[in-house]
Amino acid sequence: MYKFIQFLSLMIAAVCLLLTACGGITQSIEEEPLGKTLVITPAIKGNSASLNVGDTLEIQIPTIPTAGFEWEVQNLDTDILLQEGSAVYAEDPGPDSAGGIVTLKFKAVGIGETHLSLLYVNSPSDETPALSMRSFGMPVEVK
């Protein structure tokens, strides 16, 4: 009888330990951030995006680097989209490549419609005004 009680106690402890471990797994799944990432590259016929709050919009623009020029966001409605970090340039490793891809990321933070505008501009100095070489724009809807 004593061995049976000892065995039963051991089984109850094992079941409790197993249930505690499963509860931890469920909790970690619930803590994962929600949202998807939508990757956009410039299209001849234009682009548009429809996101949900929490989604990430990733813009990938083919760029041939020009000294002093960089992609800048113009008039961003930060109640709808927030830029995450700075623009990141990745060189194309191909032997015939002259450029690479600039990636900009934006987080959908509020419901609404906005227009995302990017300009490839130089940094103005006292002697020269800011000049723009290229631009990229698209409507964005966040639900």
Side-chain angles (χ1 to χ4, degrees), residues 8-141:
L8 188 58
S9 298
L10 183 62
M11 291 304 290
I12 290 173
V15 169
C16 288
L17 183 62
L18 182 62
L19 289 175
T20 302
C22 288
I25 291 170
T26 303
Q27 186 177 17
S28 68
I29 290 172
E30 292 173 353
E31 291 175 3
E32 287 183 12
L34 298 176
K36 63 179 180 181
T37 298
L38 178 62
V39 178
I40 298 287
T41 56
I44 292 173
K45 294 185 178 184
N47 297 93
S48 64
S50 182
L51 306 167
N52 293 314
V53 173
D55 289 351
T56 299
L57 176 62
E58 184 174 302
I59 307 295
Q60 296 180 350
I61 303 175
T63 303
I64 297 174
T66 304
F69 281 78
E70 61 186 353
W71 285 100
E72 288 186 4
V73 180
Q74 301 294 309
N75 305 320
L76 182 64
D77 186 342
T78 56
D79 291 333
I80 299 172
L81 286 177
L82 282 178
Q83 186 172 357
E84 292 186 319
S86 301
V88 176
Y89 176 75
E91 187 175 335
D92 184 343
D96 297 328
S97 174
I101 302 290
V102 172
T103 302
L104 297 104
K105 293 184 181 183
F106 301 89
K107 189 72 157 185
V109 295
I111 296 172
E113 294 181 12
T114 188
H115 191 83
L116 177 61
S117 298
L118 304 172
L119 292 177
Y120 194 54
V121 298
N122 71 340
S123 302
S125 68
D126 294 336
E127 300 164 8
T128 60
L131 300 173
S132 175
M133 290 181 67
R134 293 177 55 199
S135 65
F136 172 83
M138 62 182 273
V140 178
E141 176 187 18

